[in-house]
Amino acid sequence: MKCNGGFFVALHEEPWKEPLISETRINERIRVPEVRLVGPGGEQVGVVRVEDALRLAEEAGLDLVEVAPDAKPPVAKLMDYGKYKYEAAQKARDARRNRANTQLKEIRFRLKIDDHDFGVKKGHVERFLSAGDKVKVMIMFRGREQSRPEAGVRLLQRLADEVGELATVESMPRQDGRNMTMVLAPTKRKSDALNEQRKRREAEREERRGKRAERASRDQARNATTETN
């Protein structure tokens, strides 16, 4: 789900999911009478005999890859299977790297928080998200505040709306006793955030070196003028 204007917008899923590479059947290994064929650009060709699908794959210099074996009939797609395997492995490697680097930060709010404190805590949330980390936001209810969960939802919705450019809502507000929690996931990958931070630090170092060189040049010119006089 994604926070967009309102609070939660469900994202449409693809009609089929990519299978595990080790289980994928291709070309002559697809032993069914017919398949629902998808073209290389994602276009729907329709239900065709598997022999015809194999012929089309051969004419296009592509592979026939079964992408939804449990469908009736199975869904097969024309694609470059070698390229598909390479890209799938790259995606899996990037996902593992991103999961390993991403941390879950936690920040707590009071239900009756004033605007100044809200702004300070929102700044912390934005810093965590900008660094590519998830944020678990917790509201702690006191006494009779537990009977006002809608106020907690409004506060979390306000936060989600104000950091909407940096995050999506991964876990909707949920009350558990005296606490209500929501998890925000960064829209920017951890690796991308680290690269941006690295470039920003390098630019700042270059700027400092430039200023030092400029000061040294001015001092040298001043000293030369003094000696001349």
Side-chain angles (χ1 to χ4, degrees), residues 94-109:
D94 289 344
R96 287 194 300 270
R97 185 183 301 117
N98 200 42
R99 282 197 300 270
N101 291 333
T102 300
Q103 299 179 23
L104 178 63
K105 305 290 187 178
E106 182 175 306
I107 191 161
R108 301 186 179 191
F109 285 71

Side-chain angles (χ1 to χ4, degrees), residues 19-25 81 84-86 88-89:
L20 294 174
I21 293 176
S22 60
E23 300 175 355
T24 303
R25 292 184 295 188
Y81 188 59
Y84 164 74
K85 286 198 299 181
Y86 174 77

Side-chain angles (χ1 to χ4, degrees), residues 93-161:
R93 187 157 50 246
D94 289 344
R96 287 194 300 270
R97 185 183 301 117
N98 200 42
R99 282 197 300 270
N101 291 333
T102 300
Q103 299 179 23
L104 178 63
K105 305 290 187 178
E106 182 175 306
I107 191 161
R108 301 186 179 191
F109 285 71
R110 290 292 185 187
L111 188 62
K112 296 179 180 179
I113 189 171
D114 60 41
D115 288 341
H116 176 266
D117 287 343
F118 179 88
V120 171
K121 288 182 178 291
K122 186 184 76 169
H124 294 323
V125 172
E126 290 174 333
R127 189 176 73 254
F128 294 147
L129 293 170
S130 297
D133 292 317
K134 295 182 180 181
V135 182
K136 179 180 180 181
V137 186
M138 178 182 294
I139 295 178
M140 298 178 293
F141 294 104
R142 290 177 173 176
R144 295 182 180 179
E145 290 178 350
Q146 291 184 73
S147 63
R148 299 172 53 207
E150 69 282 355
V153 171
R154 284 197 299 269
L155 179 60
L156 293 176
Q157 177 175 353
R158 175 187 172 188
L159 177 65
D161 288 343

Side-chain angles (χ1 to χ4, degrees), residues 101 131 189-199 201:
N101 291 333
R189 294 189 307 174
K190 182 76 172 183
S191 56
D192 294 337
L194 292 175
N195 287 334
E196 288 185 8
Q197 291 176 359
R198 190 178 304 111
K199 290 179 181 178
R201 286 195 297 267

Side-chain angles (χ1 to χ4, degrees), residues 27-28 37 48-64 78:
N27 299 328
E28 287 75 12
L37 187 62
V48 300
R49 295 190 309 158
V50 71
E51 293 85 355
D52 294 334
L54 287 169
R55 177 177 52 79
L56 291 172
E58 185 176 359
E59 291 175 354
L62 297 171
D63 297 299
L64 181 66
L78 299 175

